[in-house]
Amino acid sequence: MSDQTTPRGFETRAVHAGQAPDPTTGAVIPPVHFSTTYAQDGIGGLREGYEYGRSGNPTRTALESQLAAIEGGAHALSFASGLAAEDALLRAVLRPGDEVLLGSDVYGGTYRLLARVLAPWGVGLRIVDMSDLTAVEAALNERPARIVWVETPSNPLLRITDIAGLARLGHAAGALVVVDNTFASPALQQPLALGADVVVHSTTKYLGGHSDVVGGALVLNDDAVHEQAKFLQFAVGAVSGPLDAWLTTRGIKTLAVRMQRHSENAQAIAEFLDAHDKVARVYYPGLPAHPGHELAAVQMSRFGGIVSVELADAAAARKLAESTRLFTLAESLGGVESLMNYPDAMTHASVRGTELAVPEQLVRLSVGIESVADLIADLDAALTGL
Ligand SMILES: *Cc1c(COP(=O)(O)O)cnc(C)c1O
């Protein structure tokens, strides 16, 4: 697999990158390496560079090769969680006095990491609506930032940011442009090819895909930033364990087919909800009325599996969130099963009362890959009961 020169398709890379059969036994699925330490051929004589489980593990290497291949990056690093990956990147790049320009609609935990963990160490934070490039340019003209950080589609309002445009503005201001690609996944959107410097993932979501493993990743081309982040992966130690890495690898192999079904189901559900009289507003980039629809149609190959809905008021939103049967009320997203989330009190509770607060009449759906007729019937019944 390693001697091929023509670039292969996304699905082929997802299945094969880092997955050559085991050279000793021919096992088609490479074994999970649990060993914490490696025999040395004489002092310092390391085989393939493996020395100790925190500094390197073959199962983690396999996942990192696969991640680099599917995001089209030179390097990938795998971590114990999405936030551990974010923390390693931020600490690799930032020094006291540096600023981060953050999207106004990002994962609450990313905001919390910056505002409550890194800010006390002297990191500045400014918030801007990244889908408004004029506002981004004005913010960068006012004062440069070391990092520009965006989520697109954003969480939970599904705002779409022009990644290529943002990368141009960020680079002109000397910033590192970071895209959290968790919502789209590389099956639908390739930020590095659009000019971003670093892709961040919570692999807990679509990449793992089965709600059974927490993990995170960085994918990037820059050698120096990679070296710094890899040093922190080793020196701080928030690495993914072997079984976690293996489960994530297994999930990634089916990413493309899952994203296709997630997107088809989400489109049908968004259209159903959009026509429902109990629903005040639907946020889904696949709906022509969505403000980011045109851009998403160019920047993404499909519109993804997340749909957010505004009800008449907070009480209706809470009641809907608590009355479905197939959609499970739970945090997180991106698994094969459909989930329902009330952001104000669940995923986004940490940004309540801040600039990132979400509407209290909003419910977020992570649409799974079940039979779409069953999902729609479940929502219809719950809406009828409001
Ligand atoms: C879940 C999530 C994270 C954090 O990842 P963990 O794996 O929970 O640490 C970051 N960004 C986005 C968009 C997420 O959905």
Side-chain angles (χ1 to χ4, degrees):
M1 235 107 334
S2 53
D3 59 354
Q4 73 133 81
T5 47
T6 50
R8 286 180 164 162
F10 180 87
E11 291 82 351
T12 310
R13 282 177 274 141
V15 172
H16 290 288
Q19 293 294 297
D22 179 54
T24 310
T25 62
V28 168
I29 301 304
V32 188
H33 291 265
F34 286 107
S35 187
T36 58
T37 189
Y38 300 85
Q40 305 196 3
D41 297 318
I43 295 168
L46 306 182
R47 301 183 199 170
E48 311 276 328
Y50 293 108
E51 181 177 28
Y52 177 62
R54 173 161 37 75
S55 56
N57 168 289
T59 309
R60 198 167 87 220
T61 305
L63 170 59
E64 290 174 343
S65 306
Q66 190 189 27
L67 287 164
I70 60 174
E71 281 288 1
H75 311 288
L77 294 167
S78 161
F79 293 85
S81 71
L83 281 172
E86 295 186 15
D87 176 54
L89 175 65
L90 291 166
R91 285 201 273 164
V93 173
L94 297 170
R95 294 294 173 267
D98 286 344
E99 273 201 349
V100 175
L101 191 63
L102 186 69
S104 56
D105 182 10
V106 297
Y107 180 69
T110 301
Y111 174 80
R112 182 177 55 210
L113 174 62
L114 281 159
R116 296 186 49 194
V117 180
L118 293 178
W121 291 90
V123 169
L125 180 60
R126 280 186 295 159
I127 312 286
V128 66
D129 175 359
M130 293 284 171
S131 65
D132 178 357
L133 290 187
T134 313
V136 174
E137 189 169 23
L140 289 171
N141 282 341
E142 190 188 312
R143 217 166 48 242
R146 181 71 189 92
I147 289 180
V148 171
W149 185 295
V150 67
E151 262 176 55
T152 178
S154 71
N155 178 9
L157 298 180
L158 289 317
R159 285 199 186 106
I160 306 295
T161 295
D162 175 356
I163 296 173
L166 186 75
R168 272 194 300 276
L169 290 179
H171 293 158
L176 191 82
V177 176
V178 179
V179 176
D180 183 330
N181 203 27
T182 299
F183 266 40
S185 93
L188 306 188
Q189 174 172 279
Q190 301 264 308
L192 298 179
L194 294 168
D197 299 299
V198 185
V199 165
V200 170
H201 274 289
S202 170
T203 60
T204 313
K205 316 295 167 52
Y206 287 109
L207 297 193
H210 298 74
S211 304
D212 56 10
V213 56
V214 173
L218 304 175
V219 189
L220 69 171
N221 287 314
D222 188 288
D223 295 337
V225 176
H226 169 246
E227 279 310 314
Q228 277 290 337
K230 189 175 163 65
F231 173 72
L232 288 181
Q233 183 195 41
F234 161 71
V236 179
V239 295
S240 33
L243 191 57
D244 292 0
W246 184 80
L247 280 168
T248 307
T249 282
R250 186 168 71 164
I252 289 172
K253 291 177 184 181
T254 57
L255 179 67
V257 289
R258 284 187 286 107
M259 292 315 293
Q260 177 177 351
R261 177 61 73 86
H262 282 299
S263 300
E264 288 167 2
N265 283 0
Q267 181 77 36
I269 284 171
E271 288 170 9
F272 162 77
L273 292 170
D274 200 36
H276 202 289
D277 58 8
K278 295 266 177 72
V279 171
R281 181 168 175 188
V282 178
Y283 298 83
Y284 185 65
L287 293 178
H290 187 281
H293 175 69
E294 310 276 310
L295 177 58
V298 176
Q299 184 163 277
M300 302 170 71
S301 58
R302 299 178 192 277
F303 298 108
I306 308 295
V307 180
S308 289
V309 195
E310 275 183 29
L311 282 301
D313 52 30
R318 283 177 166 272
K319 184 156 187 219
L320 175 69
E322 290 175 345
S323 50
T324 50
R325 293 168 158 229
L326 258 183
F327 280 85
T328 301
L329 180 64
E331 304 219 358
S332 199
L333 59 104
V336 292
E337 67 292 312
S338 293
L339 299 180
M340 174 84 81
N341 164 48
Y342 180 63
D344 179 61
M346 294 171 61
T347 51
H348 289 64
S350 66
V351 294
R352 239 184 191 168
T354 73
E355 297 161 90
L356 279 78
V358 298
E360 58 179 16
Q361 66 277 22
L362 191 90
V363 168
R364 188 190 75 193
L365 312 180
S366 173
V367 178
I369 65 168
E370 302 96 331
S371 310
V372 71
D374 294 337
L375 296 176
I376 288 176
D378 187 35
L379 291 169
D380 200 20
L383 285 165
T384 303
L386 290 187

